[in-house]
Structure formats: C-alpha cells, structure tokens
Amino acid sequence: MESWLDLSVPVVTGMPVYPGDPEVEVSRALRVAEHGVNVLRLHMGSQSGTHVDAPYHVDEAWPTLDDLPLDRFAGSAVVADVRGLPARAPITPDLLSPALGLLRPGSILLLATGWSRYWGTEDYLAHPWLTPEAAETVVAAGVLTVGIDALSVDPTGPVDLPSHRVLCGAGGVIAENLTGLGGVADAQAAGCSTEVFLFPLRLAGADGGPVRATARITPHAP
C-alpha cells in the first residue's frame, strides 16, 4: 500500500530564514467571533521555509518561476544518502556515485544530508553543500530538479553561489529546507519507488516560492 510523507517545515512566526532574508510573521487578520471568518496575515520572503528557487533567483536574464514547465516540480525521486557527513562538508561527485546510476532524465535528485535535525539552531547554517563539479555531473545526467534538507545547495554565507549557477543555468529548479528525507532514503533502500511533488505558489515573475513538498512511496510488488 502506498504511503505519503510530508517533506515540508511548518510556516510559523520567527522561523529560521537565510541570513538577510525577510523575517516570517504569521498573525491573525480576521476572526470568526468578530468577522465571521478566520483569515491569517502572512509576512514572508519568497525563499521562506521549504521552497524552490527558479533560475531568476541568481540571474535576471534567466527564467522566472512562472516561466518553468510544471514537470520541473514533480517526478520520480532518487535519493543520494549522504547522512553522516560532518559540518560544512562538500558533497562531491564520488559521494553521488551510487545515486547517479539510478538517475534518468527528468528524475528529481534528493540530497539527504540529515541536516534538517538542526532546524532552528545555529548548527543549521553549517550544512554540507554540493560542489559545482557534482552539480555539473547531475546536469549531465539530464536532471534539472535537485532538493536538499538544508538551507542551501551552496555553503551559507558566501555571496557567490556556484552550484546554484550550474543548476539554474541549465534551467533547473532547486528545493531547499526539505525535511524528512531520511524516510525517503530508507524507502529507496527497501526497494520502494518514490514520486516527489514540489509545486510552489503561482507567484508572477518570481525568483522562487514556498512549497508543500510531499513524497508518495510505493512498495514494489513481490
């Protein structure tokens, strides 16, 4: 029987954001007792929480979120299980080798670092990161959607974003701040197949947008 996993962090006031991004505030705008309905007021950046980056995020000449085909945001997932890496460790092509053999054009590559366990702490900023060489290997495999359970596919802090530029320069999509990828990795190891859905809000001309990331796990028939 198939099962579903929620790969998204909850959106709440004061949640972690990338250094310099707008802070998140969720407040009550309308209440049933006073107005007849409940409505929330949201203040947040386009890169808040679990979100996707469009190529426009790093280059104004590249496609915006609404320029991208919908199939960039859903597909068969392959997990690179790199849990156990130390802080700020590079994710190299060699570390991706087991996953690269499973990738097909149109696959979604998920980088399971296990770093989501540090969500809400200072240690979350010291996450593993994808090297540009590894990003080039992924693009060469025909993969244009990459997700990670960390703040960024690049090291947090430097202004330059080389792996963003490799992936986005190919017209790719990057999903960040995913959570629960260990469950997807374990399902893959057990022989299950996984589809991932990363559909963002339809923000016109946007650099990216929040997503409700989910995975559908299907066991193989005996």
Side-chain angles (χ1 to χ4, degrees), residues 1-5 193 195 215-219:
M1 179 182 295
E2 70 179 26
S3 59
W4 288 81
L5 297 177
S193 61
E195 295 174 276
R216 180 165 61 191
I217 310 295
T218 305

Side-chain angles (χ1 to χ4, degrees), residues 1-212:
M1 179 182 295
E2 70 179 26
S3 59
W4 288 81
L5 297 177
D6 194 336
L7 308 180
S8 310
V9 297
V11 176
V12 297
T13 296
M15 67 191 292
V17 297
Y18 195 90
D21 276 14
E23 296 294 329
V24 175
E25 182 179 350
V26 181
S27 59
R28 186 74 64 185
L30 302 175
R31 294 179 181 275
V32 167
E34 301 171 47
H35 310 99
V37 292
N38 286 318
V39 174
L40 290 177
R41 178 184 291 110
L42 306 178
H43 178 273
M44 60 194 297
S46 56
Q47 305 282 318
S48 298
T50 305
H51 66 275
V52 292
D53 296 347
Y56 183 74
H57 180 49
V58 292
D59 195 309
E60 292 186 349
W62 291 350
T64 61
L65 193 62
D66 47 351
D67 288 331
L68 297 171
L70 290 175
D71 61 9
R72 285 283 196 285
F73 305 104
S76 177
V78 172
V79 182
D81 191 350
V82 291
R83 290 176 288 179
L85 289 176
R88 298 184 177 87
I91 302 171
T92 62
D94 285 346
L95 290 174
L96 294 184
S97 290
L100 289 174
L102 302 175
L103 291 173
R104 300 292 182 269
S107 295
I108 293 177
L109 175 63
L110 300 177
L111 304 173
T113 70
W115 223 253
S116 56
R117 68 187 182 276
Y118 297 119
W119 176 253
T121 74
E122 285 296 317
D123 290 334
Y124 194 64
L125 302 177
H127 55 84
W129 52 279
L130 187 68
T131 67
E133 295 78 16
E136 289 168 357
T137 303
V138 171
V139 170
V143 172
L144 296 178
T145 305
V146 175
I148 190 168
D149 54 355
L151 194 55
S152 175
V153 293
D154 283 296
T156 293
V159 176
D160 191 28
L161 300 168
S163 291
H164 273 77
R165 295 189 178 281
V166 171
L167 298 169
C168 291
V173 167
I174 302 168
E176 294 165 330
N177 292 328
L178 294 167
T179 191
L181 292 190
V184 185
D186 294 343
Q188 177 175 284
C192 301
S193 61
T194 304
E195 295 174 276
V196 171
F197 305 90
L198 305 167
F199 293 109
L201 295 175
R202 191 174 182 178
L203 299 173
D207 55 278
V211 306
R212 181 68 179 269

